[in-house]
Amino acid sequence: MSTLETKSSLRPGSAFGFVFLVYVLLFMGLRPISYRFGDMLIYNIQFQNLKNGFGMTFKKDVVFEYFMYFMSRIGDVYLFFFTCCVLYVLPLYAFSKKIFQEYWAFAFVMLMISFSFWSYGTNGIRNGIATSIFLYGCSRSNRFLAIFIVILSMYIHKSLIIPVAAYFIVMMYNNPKAYFYFWLACIPLSLLLGGFFTNLFLSLGIVEQDRVTVYLDDFNQASEGVKLKVGFRWDFLLYSAVGVFVGWYFVFKKKFEDKFYHRILSMYLIANAFWVIVIKANYSNRFAYLSWFMLGIVIIYPFLKVKYFTNQNRIIAAVCIAYFTFTYLLEIVLIS
């Protein structure tokens, strides 16, 4: 069933999508090297060291490290950062085209205007690339190719072990209702035992100790693109709950039956539930991003697949505007 009133309404949307794609690639990919972009300075130092012949250990995020080494052999740091942007943005375009076909532009715009999209293209660069590659892998029809790409994303940034684990859990048991109740249960668990779970995660050694300690212990967070504080983040929880509510509404109230949407929603619930458990941690936004990168898709997907409302094209526009407004308020107005 068509979600928009006429097929002709897709033409300007697709044209805008392509213009927006080129604009994002140029604007983000050709940005100056500046302290304003946080970790970009660190990446620049690492790249220059490689350029000057200093070695790299190749034992942490090995795929990204080999990629950086390769780029240092063939070009300068500006080409490196532009290529990083391409690897961040184009997989999202390919994901949108594959899953939503003629409606791809609406999904692509939702991903571009998501909270933290800009931060993870300019600050947490390898994390951003890894999540984009993960989504691209999820969209592949060939099961073996999809699994390979999903696992590959974990070797770009090891934090992807959380959504990758969610991917395999959902592959074995795809039941959004069970994960919805699991997400709800994690809220009181975090309020009562948040410190215990934070220490437990540190002791597991899933990610290298020095990085996780920075995230979970007391550290300055000035470069994260949003003013952060340690404690139970009710504001971030409410933001995450938007996706939970939308998923609940369409799956349970509207009886929306779509296997792929159930998978994305379930992975979102699992990954976000993990963040809820360690919500009091420092840099908790970085853990939240391991689910937030799917949030735009969780919200817009049902609107682009089935027509539920009169003038649904206007409702889609309103959803996009509301989603962008939140990002603008949080990243621009409140920071200022």
Side-chain angles (χ1 to χ4, degrees):
M1 186 182 298
S2 176
T3 61
L4 300 181
E5 298 306 310
T6 63
K7 291 291 184 180
S8 62
S9 63
L10 298 174
R11 298 191 189 102
S14 294
F16 174 78
F18 282 116
V19 171
F20 196 44
L21 168 64
V22 174
Y23 172 78
V24 171
L25 286 173
L26 295 177
F27 187 73
M28 179 181 286
L30 301 179
R31 68 192 182 278
I33 298 172
S34 169
Y35 72 93
R36 295 180 180 273
F37 302 122
D39 290 352
M40 190 178 183
L41 293 180
I42 299 175
Y43 285 108
N44 180 44
I45 293 171
Q46 292 174 341
F47 186 90
Q48 298 303 338
N49 286 340
L50 288 172
K51 196 77 174 174
N52 294 328
F54 294 97
M56 182 175 279
T57 59
F58 300 105
K59 65 179 183 180
K60 293 183 179 180
D61 302 318
V62 291
V63 171
F64 186 87
E65 290 165 353
Y66 274 110
F67 161 70
M68 181 182 283
Y69 176 80
F70 172 76
M71 293 301 300
S72 72
R73 299 299 94 189
I74 67 170
D76 61 13
V77 70
Y78 296 100
L79 177 62
F80 165 71
F81 282 122
F82 181 77
T83 306
C84 286
C85 181
V86 170
L87 291 174
Y88 181 45
V89 175
L90 283 190
L92 301 180
Y93 162 75
F95 169 86
S96 301
K97 286 282 288 185
K98 173 67 173 180
I99 300 301
F100 297 98
Q101 301 177 22
E102 66 266 32
Y103 302 115
W104 72 271
F106 301 96
F108 181 71
V109 167
M110 282 290 285
L111 289 168
M112 297 298 102
I113 63 177
S114 293
F115 174 58
S116 290
F117 169 78
W118 174 259
S119 297
Y120 283 87
T122 60
N123 181 24
I125 295 173
R126 74 181 76 183
N127 196 347
I129 293 173
T131 56
S132 293
I133 297 297
F134 176 87
L135 274 180
Y136 175 77
C138 290
S139 70
R140 298 303 90 188
S141 301
N142 185 294
R143 175 63 63 88
F144 294 104
L145 178 62
I147 291 174
F148 172 78
I149 296 173
V150 164
I151 293 176
L152 179 70
S153 71
M154 189 171 60
Y155 288 93
I156 298 173
H157 196 275
K158 286 186 178 179
S159 66
L160 266 287
I161 191 173
I162 294 168
V164 169
Y167 176 88
F168 285 107
I169 291 171
V170 172
M171 184 183 294
M172 294 182 289
Y173 184 65
N174 188 1
N175 184 353
K177 187 174 184 180
Y179 301 125
F180 173 75
Y181 288 122
F182 173 66
W183 183 87
L184 286 176
C186 285
I187 297 175
L189 284 176
S190 181
L191 285 168
L192 297 173
L193 301 171
F196 167 78
F197 286 112
T198 297
N199 293 329
L200 176 63
F201 180 72
L202 271 174
S203 67
L204 293 178
I206 295 176
V207 187
E208 57 267 27
Q209 185 74 10
D210 57 344
R211 182 182 295 173
V212 177
T213 301
V214 167
Y215 290 170
L216 299 183
D217 289 343
D218 296 329
F219 234 79
N220 186 281
Q221 309 178 55
S223 65
E224 291 304 292
V226 59
K227 185 177 180 180
L228 302 175
K229 62 180 185 293
V230 178
F232 197 91
R233 296 306 307 263
W234 289 105
D235 50 351
F236 284 0
L237 183 65
L238 289 174
Y239 177 62
S240 299
V242 173
V244 178
F245 173 77
V246 170
W248 169 83
Y249 177 78
F250 282 104
V251 173
F252 304 128
K253 297 292 289 185
K254 292 293 187 178
K255 307 300 181 183
F256 179 49
E257 294 292 337
D258 185 293
K259 186 176 180 180
F260 185 83
Y261 183 69
H262 284 195
R263 286 174 53 203
I264 287 290
L265 176 60
S266 295
M267 288 189 294
Y268 173 79
L269 290 169
I270 294 171
N272 195 258
F274 168 81
W275 164 71
V276 171
I277 286 290
V278 297
I279 198 172
K280 297 179 181 179
N282 212 346
Y283 282 98
S284 66
N285 66 310
R286 291 203 171 188
F287 290 106
Y289 183 70
L290 298 175
S291 58
W292 283 351
F293 74 92
M294 295 181 275
L295 180 57
I297 299 302
V298 169
I299 292 173
I300 202 65
Y301 190 107
F303 292 100
L304 300 180
K305 290 295 182 177
V306 178
K307 185 174 182 179
Y308 286 106
F309 311 102
T310 304
N311 297 322
Q312 187 153 312
N313 56 333
R314 297 181 181 178
I315 294 177
I316 292 171
V319 169
C320 292
I321 292 171
Y323 196 59
F324 172 75
T325 299
F326 179 87
T327 297
Y328 181 81
L329 288 174
L330 196 55
E331 291 210 13
I332 306 298
V333 176
L334 294 184
I335 291 177
S336 301

